[in-house]
Amino acid sequence: MERKAREWNGVDRGGEDALLVSNYNGGVLAIADGVSGWAEEDVDPSLFPRELLANASNFVEDMEVNYDPQILIRKSHAATSSTGSATVIVAMLEKNGILKIANVGDCGLRVIRNGSVIFSTSPQEHYFDCPFQLSSERAGQTYLDAAVSDVELIEGDTIVMGSDGLFDNVFDYEIVSTIATYRDVTEAAKALANLARIHATDSNFDSPYSLEARSKGYDAPLWKKILGMKLTGGKLDDITVIVGQVVSS
């Protein structure tokens, strides 16, 4: 698998995402998105996700992990001592073409084949805008709460992994059309991150985030509704995108 990464971090939010790209076995990809609320308690929200994925990098080749992303999350979480919390997704590609995925929270992954999304993870939320998360506190989730899935890949498939900053601001059809525009995965990742940034700052864009908000009962202020306006706009957030293409080894 050819793997390239692009991370875009909002200046105001301080860069609370972390990513891992490893060429071990068929390839390992991971994103951890730090929970910004810790900043209100004078805790740097970036420390927990960075340590979590640094530990994941160290455990990738561990015999006990044995290509199991859920076990990789367990060992990485147990070894993390920083205060904080994060959503996390890990994908491990075996030599036989099976991509194993474990996801806690609302980071996501899409597999694109011949111009269509053939596989998509689903976000895990307690309620709107409150995702499952690994934490330094007992109140958080564990590896046992991870949504686990497998998908069989073929040569030419494209993997798009992102923090919720991507999927809250960019529709799947936009991801597919953007990927089709670029032959180079690095440029595709940059383009997706940039598109998400543009949508995030556009108060008139009817984003996936605003659509979900309205579906959960959130709406524009009364004065806007009187004027016939509705709740729109993207979600300002850190944006991390990894794009990989499956190649024969």
Side-chain angles (χ1 to χ4, degrees):
M1 178 170 59
E2 182 185 7
R3 298 162 309 279
K4 299 292 181 181
R6 164 71 174 178
E7 181 172 14
W8 176 86
N9 285 320
V11 174
D12 294 339
R13 299 297 291 274
E16 294 147 11
D17 291 359
L19 61 84
L20 166 65
V21 178
S22 168
N23 61 5
Y24 178 68
N25 201 28
V28 180
L29 307 176
I31 291 174
D33 182 356
V35 175
S36 59
W38 284 98
E40 298 172 7
E41 301 183 33
D42 293 325
V43 173
D44 183 348
S46 70
L47 297 180
F48 184 89
R50 289 176 183 175
E51 184 184 357
L52 181 72
L53 292 196
N55 289 330
S57 179
N58 293 332
F59 285 124
V60 158
E61 300 183 32
D62 189 275
M63 291 293 291
E64 187 181 356
V65 171
N66 193 29
Y67 316 130
D68 187 332
Q70 194 173 21
I71 301 303
L72 182 59
I73 289 175
R74 174 176 68 81
K75 294 181 72 71
S76 303
H77 188 196
T80 300
S81 59
S82 296
T83 299
S85 54
T87 62
V88 62
I89 186 167
V90 178
M92 308 182 77
L93 180 62
E94 295 188 319
K95 293 287 188 181
N96 61 4
I98 301 298
L99 184 70
K100 296 183 174 181
I101 305 156
N103 182 41
V104 179
D106 57 5
C107 293
L109 183 146
R110 306 286 187 268
V111 176
I112 300 171
R113 179 181 299 164
N114 298 326
S116 299
V117 175
I118 64 150
F119 175 84
S120 175
T121 56
S122 298
Q124 297 174 302
E125 292 184 322
H126 298 289
Y127 49 87
F128 177 66
D129 224 13
C130 182
F132 283 22
Q133 54 196 258
L134 301 180
S135 176
S136 57
E137 311 301 304
R138 291 189 176 184
Q141 280 65 59
T142 74
Y143 74 101
L144 293 172
D145 298 295
V148 178
S149 49
D150 296 349
V151 57
E152 186 172 356
L153 303 182
I154 61 175
E155 187 172 7
D157 285 351
T158 299
I159 299 168
V160 178
M161 179 185 282
S163 60
D164 64 320
L166 171 66
F167 299 108
D168 281 341
N169 291 299
V170 181
F171 290 97
D172 279 3
Y173 75 86
E174 295 178 297
I175 292 175
V176 171
S177 61
T178 300
I179 290 297
T181 306
Y182 296 90
R183 300 180 67 88
D184 180 79
V185 291
T186 304
E187 294 305 313
K190 289 179 181 178
L192 285 173
N194 189 54
L195 180 61
R197 178 184 61 82
I198 291 170
H199 284 342
T201 56
D202 184 353
S203 60
N204 294 317
F205 178 64
D206 206 5
S207 65
Y209 181 76
S210 60
L211 283 173
E212 183 183 2
R214 294 201 304 273
S215 74
K216 298 296 174 61
Y218 294 87
D219 211 337
L222 181 59
W223 68 269
K224 285 191 174 183
K225 294 175 69 175
I226 292 174
L227 296 174
M229 300 168 69
K230 62 183 179 181
L231 182 68
T232 59
K235 182 186 178 186
L236 289 171
D237 202 352
D238 287 342
I239 299 163
T240 298
V241 182
I242 301 174
V243 176
Q245 188 169 39
V246 179
V247 296
S248 59
S249 58

